[in-house]
Amino acid sequence: MDVLTVSPVRTRAQRTAFVECEYALRREDRCWTPPLRRDQYRLLDRAHNAFLSFGEIELYLAHRGREVVGRIAAVYDPRFNHHHGARDGFFGLFACVDDQDAARMLFRAAGAWLAERSMTSLVGPVNFSMNYECGTLIDRFDEPAALLMPWNPPSDPKLIENCGFTAVQDLHAWEWECTPGPPALLDRAAAAAAARRGDITIRSVDLSRYEAEMDRVRELYHHAWQDNWGFVPMTDHEFRQLALRLRPVLRPELSLIAEVDGEPVAFSLTLPNLAPALRMAGGRLHRWGVPLGLARMLRESRKVRQGRLMAVGVVEEHRQSGVVPLLLARTADAAHRLGYEALEISWVLGNNKPAFRTLRSLGCRRTKTYRIYRCDLLDLLDPGDPGTGLADRPCDTT
């Protein structure tokens, strides 16, 4: 058998191999949505990824002989550790053949790099914080993921768990069928909220003032999510990059802001589920200088009949005002008018019981589960090995 090695990415050719690894390993999986290669290269480029202006990553490739059999990114996020008073390192961009030895060597390489930075645990998959794609799919592998949600083969959870990782948080996806008019329960709740708080208004995002509108959404997001598990505030640069990325697919009818006396207090954001269109592009907009992927993607996008409700946020002092039913009723009505058959609500934290009750009352059904894992570096690494960095050193969380 060929020798198994794991090495850090240093050259342009190795970076190309890192990006191409996922395409090579998953190209036969019909449920996997190939991301655009352009976006994957930008994710690793400091000039295009605002996270890399403060965070650090180290990329690793696993080879068996000359064949690439896996990859991983070790992620050091000082802002997360400062916000939570933690020593958590992260792993992301994980892809590996069903080879336990290769997976173990990748995790140990990532863990050793993070231990040198005084981290004591490895958490993931997270690309590169909870504000980006995260989680390992642990069920419903026979269904494609929604837009900006991950998909992985059934072997991934086993590879991770067999390396000593245990579940630390689950993220759930729910399905909400679109019917004419909002559900009666939601309609009554929205009417009651409007009668009780007649000063609540719901409006669409004004695309002619997009930058200013996104600044309002960013403030709402930070206030609404600040107590959530794993939350870390996004920098202005990070949020602006995300807003620019979403702008081409954003529908104003499904991008809503709630105001009380003219002051924003809540928002909801639903996107067309363009994952089927991205699958048609096959990871490239242009091929041989011809925009074949772009043409296929645009053609398929006209057939989209599903959306993804990716965020609903309310500032704490208005959570009992009834603003959520108003936002959901408006979203349900707009989605039906746009011809959508269903919305995926993702993701919802596994410990958010109030949200579960609300979703069940609306007739939603839980569909997919994504898992975040954690492992102590002392359990993953051998403290006696030189260079593991497991000495008891103060943690730099500045």
Side-chain angles (χ1 to χ4, degrees):
M1 182 178 292
D2 291 328
V3 175
L4 177 65
T5 60
V6 170
S7 56
V9 170
R10 292 288 181 264
T11 68
R12 179 177 295 183
Q14 290 170 335
R15 180 163 297 228
T16 299
F18 185 91
V19 170
E20 292 297 326
C21 172
E22 186 178 26
Y23 296 91
L25 296 184
R26 298 181 178 170
R27 61 189 171 199
E28 301 300 327
D29 293 311
R30 65 177 183 82
C31 291
W32 178 60
T33 300
L36 295 177
R37 282 174 169 81
R38 176 198 63 187
D39 293 340
Q40 295 304 288
Y41 282 104
R42 288 179 175 179
L43 188 67
L44 307 178
D45 187 344
R46 184 181 298 271
H48 292 97
N49 185 352
F51 175 87
L52 298 178
S53 65
F54 59 86
E56 298 178 49
I57 62 172
E58 184 75 81
L59 309 178
Y60 292 93
L61 280 171
H63 288 82
R64 192 172 283 285
R66 300 182 64 179
E67 180 185 3
V68 176
V69 294
R71 71 176 195 181
I72 199 169
V75 182
Y76 171 60
D77 184 353
R79 297 184 75 250
F80 175 91
N81 288 303
H82 177 73
H83 187 78
H84 291 277
R87 288 186 178 188
D88 291 337
F90 297 93
F91 74 88
L93 303 178
F94 176 71
C96 189
V97 298
D98 191 2
D99 183 329
Q100 196 63 59
D101 290 336
R104 184 172 288 108
M105 287 185 66
L106 284 167
F107 285 122
R108 285 179 174 173
W113 184 83
L114 288 161
E116 292 172 357
R117 284 149 183 80
S118 300
M119 300 297 98
T120 59
S121 63
L122 185 57
V123 179
V126 175
N127 308 337
F128 296 121
S129 79
M130 294 294 288
N131 297 312
Y132 302 81
E133 289 185 20
C134 53
T136 293
L137 184 68
I138 65 168
D139 55 20
R140 307 297 285 270
F141 300 103
D142 58 339
E143 296 182 6
L147 182 69
L148 302 179
M149 292 293 288
W151 184 90
N152 52 265
S155 58
D156 276 17
K158 297 175 185 177
L159 292 174
I160 295 171
E161 291 166 11
N162 288 342
C163 287
F165 287 82
T166 56
V168 66
Q169 184 63 263
D170 282 347
L171 316 172
H172 297 296
W174 294 70
E175 184 179 81
W176 187 16
E177 292 186 7
C178 297
T179 56
L185 178 66
L186 189 57
D187 205 19
R188 290 195 299 271
R196 183 171 65 252
R197 297 294 300 270
D199 50 358
I200 295 178
T201 58
I202 308 293
R203 65 174 180 83
S204 296
V205 165
D206 185 350
L207 296 184
S208 68
R209 298 184 294 121
Y210 187 66
E211 187 172 324
E213 293 281 67
M214 289 301 101
D215 286 342
R216 295 183 180 93
V217 170
R218 177 175 56 83
E219 291 299 318
L220 291 171
Y221 171 72
H222 285 164
H223 280 91
W225 264 267
Q226 60 184 342
D227 296 326
N228 280 6
W229 182 90
F231 171 78
V232 60
M234 299 181 78
T235 66
D236 291 352
H237 192 192
E238 278 186 291
F239 198 88
R240 289 184 186 279
Q241 279 191 345
L242 176 62
L244 287 173
R245 185 182 177 191
L246 296 180
R247 176 65 181 83
V249 299
L250 188 145
R251 297 295 298 260
E253 309 96 314
L254 298 170
S255 309
L256 307 174
I257 294 176
E259 297 177 338
V260 173
D261 296 330
E263 186 71 22
V265 300
F267 78 99
S268 68
L269 178 62
T270 302
L271 299 176
N273 180 20
L274 295 176
L278 279 171
R279 284 196 293 277
M280 292 298 295
R284 286 189 174 95
L285 293 179
H286 295 78
R287 193 182 298 267
W288 307 299
V290 180
L292 293 176
L294 178 61
R296 291 169 180 165
M297 189 170 69
L298 291 176
R299 183 173 62 249
E300 190 68 20
S301 67
R302 301 188 187 102
K303 305 175 185 177
V304 169
R305 292 296 178 265
Q306 292 186 328
R308 179 189 166 205
L309 199 166
M310 64 183 300
V312 177
V314 187
V315 297
E316 185 174 4
E317 55 269 31
H318 287 274
R319 288 175 185 167
Q320 304 304 317
S321 67
V323 67
V324 170
L326 288 168
L327 285 168
L328 292 180
R330 179 82 167 262
T331 297
D333 184 59
H336 179 72
R337 284 189 285 105
L338 289 170
Y340 290 0
E341 299 171 355
L343 299 178
E344 176 174 294
I345 302 173
S346 58
W347 40 260
V348 181
L349 283 170
N351 59 3
N352 193 343
K353 304 305 181 185
F356 288 5
R357 288 193 293 269
T358 298
L359 292 170
R360 289 193 181 102
S361 71
L362 296 176
C364 301
R365 64 183 185 93
R366 199 165 73 186
T367 53
K368 303 183 185 75
T369 303
Y370 300 85
R371 182 156 291 169
I372 305 289
Y373 291 93
R374 183 183 185 277
C375 183
D376 288 339
L377 291 183
L378 282 171
D379 297 329
L380 182 66
L381 305 175
D382 182 355
D385 287 346
T388 58
L390 289 177
D392 186 14
R393 295 177 293 181
C395 179
D396 179 11
T397 58
T398 57

